[in-house]
Every structure is written in C-alpha cells, then in structure tokens.
Amino acid sequence: MQMNGGQALIKSLEMEGVEVIFGLPGGAILPVYDPIIDSPIRHVLVRHEQGAGHMAEGYAHVTGRPGVAMVTSGPAATNIVTPLADAFMDSVPMVVITGQVGSASIGTDAFQEVDTVGITRSITKHNELVTDAADIPRVIREAFHIATTGRPGPVLVDIPKDIVDPTNPRSAMEWYWPETVDLPGYRPTTVGHHRKIREAAELIGRSRRPVIYAGGGILKARAAEALRELAELTGIHVVTTLMARGAFPDSHELALGMPGMHGTYTAITAMQESDLLIALGSRFDDRVTGKLDGFAPDAKIIHVDIDPAELGKVRRPDVPIVGDCRLVIEELVGVLREMGGAESQPDRSEWRSRISGWQERFPLTYEPSEPGELLKPQYVLEQLRDAPTTPEDTIVISGVGQHQMWTSQYWRFDHPYTWVNSGGLGTMGFSVPAAIGAKVGRPDRTVWAIDGDGCFQMTAQELVTAAAERIPVKVAILNNAYLGMVRQWQEMFYEERYSEVYLSPDLPDYKMWAEAMGCVGMRVESPEEVPAAIEKANSINDRPVVIDFRTDAREKVFPMVPAGATNSQVVVDPTQQGQAR
C-alpha cells in the first residue's frame, strides 16, 4: 500500500497501540498533524511543549505503557528537553517525536532548526534522526521496543519535514510493518544468575539486621507482589524510596516508609545500622545515602538491577545480580523456600525490638495550628488523605519541594502506581501536567495534584488544556508564599538570610486564576474550612478544581539529613530532640 511518511508515522503509532498523543503542532511537524484527523488516536493539544512531555510521563507512570508526545522543531524540541531528562532520570518509558527542518536545510541554521539529536543524546535511552520515509515504521517499532524493555526510558525520534510532507516525492513509501525487532547489541539481561541468587539467599539467612531497600525498579518491573512475598517469607522490613512509594503497602507491619534526606527516622536509621541491605531496583541516590563514606557502614549489599551500569556505580555490592527485579525476586523466593523458608531464618527479635522502639519514639509529627494561625500543610494532607470522599486508590502527583516531601510522608500509599513525582531531576512544574496525563491514562481514578505555589506558577497554564479537554484533575496548592524548601535551607544553614524566596500569598490570586482557566477555584484559610472544601472538590467531575490552601511558611520538613552529613546525623522534629536514640 502506497502512503506518505506522515501517514506511515501515524499508522505506526496505531500499530503500537497508542491511544493518546500529547502535543503541539508547528511548521516542521505540520504534515504529520493532517493524518491525525483520520486516526482513532486521541490528541491532547497542550499549551506548552514541556506540558506535553510531563503529561506523557504521568500517563506512563500510572499505566505502565509508554507515553507519547509530539512537537515541532527548534524551540519546541528544546522545550521538551526537561521532560526527556526527567524521564531519563526516573526510567519512565516515553516516545517523543520531534519535527525537524527539511533534510536539505539541516546544518544551514534554517528557521527553527536545532540539533535535536545532539542536544538530547545524553538524556535519552536512544535517539535517532530518520532520513528516509521508508524507515519510519521500523524506527517507530524499535523506539517502543527500546523504551519499554530492559531499564525503561525515553526515546526520541526526529523527523525532517520533507519525508512526511505528501507534496514532496521523498515522503512516498510502500507501507510495511516489521514483525520483529532486530537490534544487534541490545539484549537486556532479564534472568538473574542462579549462583548469585543462591549466594543472596545464603547471605539473607546469615543476617541479623537486614533491610529491604526497594526502589522504583520494583514498580517498573511490576514486582510489587513478589516484593511482598519476599518480605513476608523472611520477615524483613522494607523501606520504599521516593520513587517506590506504593510498591509496598504503608499499612503493612513490615513497612518502614521512605528513607533519605526527608525519610522517616526509623527508615533512615534502620538502613544505617543494618548488617545487610537488599537493594532491589534502587540506585543508591545521594539523597538516600547522605555522605557516602558514612552510609550503612556495617552493611553487606545485595544489589539487583536490570541495568548493569548501576551495580557498583555508587556502592560496591557483595552480591551483584543483573536482571529483571520481578524475575530475580521470584527465583530468590523459590531458593529461600528450598532452604527451609521462614523456619530457616535466624532469630531477629532483637532487631525487630529496636525498630519498634524507633517507631514509637520518632513518629512523624508536627505542631497543630493555634486559633487564628495559618494552616499546617501536614494537617491539610491528613484531611485530604482521610476524607470519606477521597478513594483509597486515589492517584497522587506532586511537584518538587517541601510539599513533595510532606505528601510522601503523610499520604498512605497502599497501592502501586498511585504515586507520581519527579524524583531524580526534581522538576518544579511537574505536577499539573503529569496529573493531566495520569487522569487521561486512568480516567476511572480520582487524581489529586499536590503542588506548591512556586511549582504551580511554572506550568499552571496546562489547566486550560485540562478544562478544554474535560480532564477533571484536582489541584491542592499548599500556598506558603515562599519557595519553601529553599527558605528552609536558608533558615537552617544561612542564618535566616532569606534571599529571593518570597513569592507573595496574593499575587497571583489563585482562585481567580483557576476560574479564568475554566476550573472551579476555592480558597481555604482556616482548619474548619478544610473538610468542606475537599468534599466539594471530590464531588466535581466535569472540570478541574483548584484549592488554594493558605499554609504556614514557618513550617519545616522533618526529619532531615543535612547535605554533607551522614544518616547518623539525622535532625528530628524539635519536639523529639531530647529523645534517646
């Protein structure tokens, strides 16, 4: 069948099962937008290309399927660089298609020309400039294969205008669809080495103070059930990193919560004093380890990761295992059962007692507001979490900063794929567009974006997209009128010299701004107003809702491991600082 490159591109996306594209047209990609009219694929027209990328990420986070974004050349391509870097850091499967100037103009500084492949080489799992229309089906097939296999990640396909323009003879091609993908040299190792898995089982059997250190790789590998089986078989406690929240139920008796700079005291300390860390799909991020040479000094390491480059990159493992987390955990469970199962595990009652003591003495805590004071952000999150109208499986998306840490701390994640955030890159402005993408991917779920006032101002215009497309996300702005996390650092480490962090509580007027974007806008200033506002927001399903919660700027995130300190130097809430550790 004869067709042009633009038609072939859209048909290739249909063959990959793509349901939705987040994008914004422009001159170089214009020929591809024409066949979209005749395609069943939904297109969500964004207001800024960065929004398209984060929407694709949010969609991928909650569905497990690759998100797709499409933009034009030049500034559109550079605008989507941030989501690409974000997806690369957090291993999010995504396919981004960028228009490029015509082949003859490449390298001439033509209008809206940039070297997109060159710019994105280090922040994509793979990228490619297509030079022949006949290659389009093969390249798209390979792009989805690479994005979703091995360690997931973003793939960029850059397409010159002439090979998709039906008026150009270079776009003519004979349609075909490759049945298989042949990529010599690209063969991710999914099955772990049996001898290493047995070594891991033996090490677990000798450990008295083990901790499972679960990372985002658990979710990418669909390994939440296997993780739970491993934990319950061995009785070993589990910490879930910022990227792994939901991979293990917070309500489980073996759950310790989040480790790291703003993790729970128990999670941080249990890792630090363990004699074995079973690292599953985690990458020893500096926000988890603190000062590296002081991190978990007595712990041996079992490290499982599908990316061999992660093994030994930060901390040398005693038992390295390359492989898919789910497959490795399932085999590890099998070996442990062969070795006697739960009955063969050593007596760890003393370790459990120590952990229980830390949990009793150092729970998450904050001082409630006094009458007439502004709201405490933790209180808002508790009310939102516990509201009778908030479903237990609500999907929560956060921006980056204090509100991100409080949300991770105070929400209760009992289901996988209900927490979406920017972990590695820490992208302010992530929340609103990612929430829109998540709601498109899971229209059956309630989706709340928890944002800071600084973050919200970066990408709030995408609520126009949500209103126009009837995507009813809900946004809670924890408005403390500051760049809160920077303010906290300036207060703690710069002698309260607050430099360029004040934003104003009233500029802009968030309620009016929300209403101008087609949303329902509300403002809440006292604790008594919080439940009713949440109930009203949860009842609205025909348009987006934005609530401006006026919160106390003096509130800080505790616990905290200061930058450059070891995890043994964790700073707890002021009310707990006299407690014996």
Side-chain angles (χ1 to χ4, degrees), residues 399-444:
V400 169
Q402 284 183 313
H403 63 281
Q404 176 189 27
M405 297 297 111
W406 281 317
T407 307
S408 179
Q409 290 178 338
Y410 282 88
W411 205 269
R412 188 165 46 247
F413 295 99
D414 280 339
H415 302 277
Y417 316 110
T418 55
W419 167 243
V420 180
N421 90 126
S422 168
L425 195 63
T427 304
M428 290 180 67
F430 176 85
S431 178
V432 168
I436 294 170
K439 184 64 177 176
V440 170
R442 292 303 306 262
D444 56 321

Side-chain angles (χ1 to χ4, degrees), residues 208-213 237-240 255-277 287-290 294-299 350-363 558-561 566-573 576 579-581:
R208 298 284 178 165
R209 306 190 309 276
V211 171
I212 294 175
Y213 167 25
H237 290 82
V238 180
V239 303
T240 46
L256 299 182
M258 184 176 73
M261 179 175 277
H262 292 294
T264 67
Y265 179 88
T266 304
I268 297 167
T269 308
M271 288 183 75
Q272 187 70 358
E273 302 199 10
S274 68
D275 65 356
L276 175 65
L277 285 177
R287 289 293 169 110
V288 170
T289 65
F295 172 63
D298 300 330
E350 183 182 349
W351 179 235
R352 285 196 292 273
S353 177
R354 290 179 65 189
I355 286 174
S356 176
W358 293 328
Q359 289 174 319
E360 289 175 9
R361 292 196 299 277
F362 299 101
F558 290 114
M560 179 179 187
V561 179
T566 72
N567 285 345
S568 300
Q569 297 167 297
V570 56
V571 179
V572 297
D573 187 86
Q576 299 171 332
Q579 294 274 10
R581 299 197 178 191

Side-chain angles (χ1 to χ4, degrees), residues 22 53-68 83 85-94 152 216-222 242-245 395-398 404 415-425 427 430-431 433-442 445 447:
F22 304 97
H54 293 321
M55 287 180 203
E57 287 188 274
Y59 177 92
H61 268 287
V62 301
T63 66
R65 300 191 296 272
V68 178
D86 195 274
F88 186 68
M89 292 281 280
D90 288 346
S91 306
V92 179
M94 184 162 75
I218 292 289
L219 294 171
K220 302 298 187 300
R222 291 323 200 230
L242 184 65
M243 294 306 298
R245 305 290 288 130
I395 294 171
V396 181
I397 293 92
S398 82
Q404 176 189 27
H415 302 277
Y417 316 110
T418 55
W419 167 243
V420 180
N421 90 126
S422 168
L425 195 63
T427 304
F430 176 85
S431 178
I436 294 170
K439 184 64 177 176
V440 170
R442 292 303 306 262
R445 295 283 192 84
V447 175

Side-chain angles (χ1 to χ4, degrees), residues 302-476:
I302 298 168
H303 193 175
V304 180
D305 204 294
I306 198 163
D307 184 353
E310 287 297 332
L311 304 182
K313 187 168 79 177
V314 176
R315 174 76 176 255
R316 186 186 65 79
D318 297 274
V319 181
I321 303 173
V322 179
D324 175 89
C325 265
R326 181 178 62 79
L327 298 178
V328 172
I329 294 171
E330 287 175 348
E331 185 172 351
L332 179 60
V333 167
V335 173
L336 286 165
R337 291 194 188 284
E338 286 174 15
M339 295 170 63
E343 300 300 319
S344 68
Q345 294 295 302
D347 179 10
R348 300 185 179 117
S349 55
E350 183 182 349
W351 179 235
R352 285 196 292 273
S353 177
R354 290 179 65 189
I355 286 174
S356 176
W358 293 328
Q359 289 174 319
E360 289 175 9
R361 292 196 299 277
F362 299 101
L364 292 170
T365 187
Y366 65 95
E367 291 288 322
S369 302
E370 295 292 334
E373 289 184 342
L374 290 168
L375 295 165
K376 292 299 178 76
Q378 302 95 327
Y379 171 79
V380 173
L381 287 164
E382 287 175 336
Q383 292 295 309
L384 189 51
R385 178 195 68 196
D386 297 335
T389 53
T390 301
E392 184 189 5
D393 60 359
T394 292
I395 294 171
V396 181
I397 293 92
S398 82
V400 169
Q402 284 183 313
H403 63 281
Q404 176 189 27
M405 297 297 111
W406 281 317
T407 307
S408 179
Q409 290 178 338
Y410 282 88
W411 205 269
R412 188 165 46 247
F413 295 99
D414 280 339
H415 302 277
Y417 316 110
T418 55
W419 167 243
V420 180
N421 90 126
S422 168
L425 195 63
T427 304
M428 290 180 67
F430 176 85
S431 178
V432 168
I436 294 170
K439 184 64 177 176
V440 170
R442 292 303 306 262
D444 56 321
R445 295 283 192 84
T446 297
V447 175
W448 269 99
I450 311 297
D451 223 353
D453 45 324
C455 279
F456 183 77
Q457 292 186 55
M458 290 191 173
T459 54
Q461 82 283 349
E462 294 306 337
L463 284 171
V464 178
T465 303
E469 296 274 345
R470 297 285 187 238
I471 304 169
V473 296
K474 308 175 196 308
V475 182

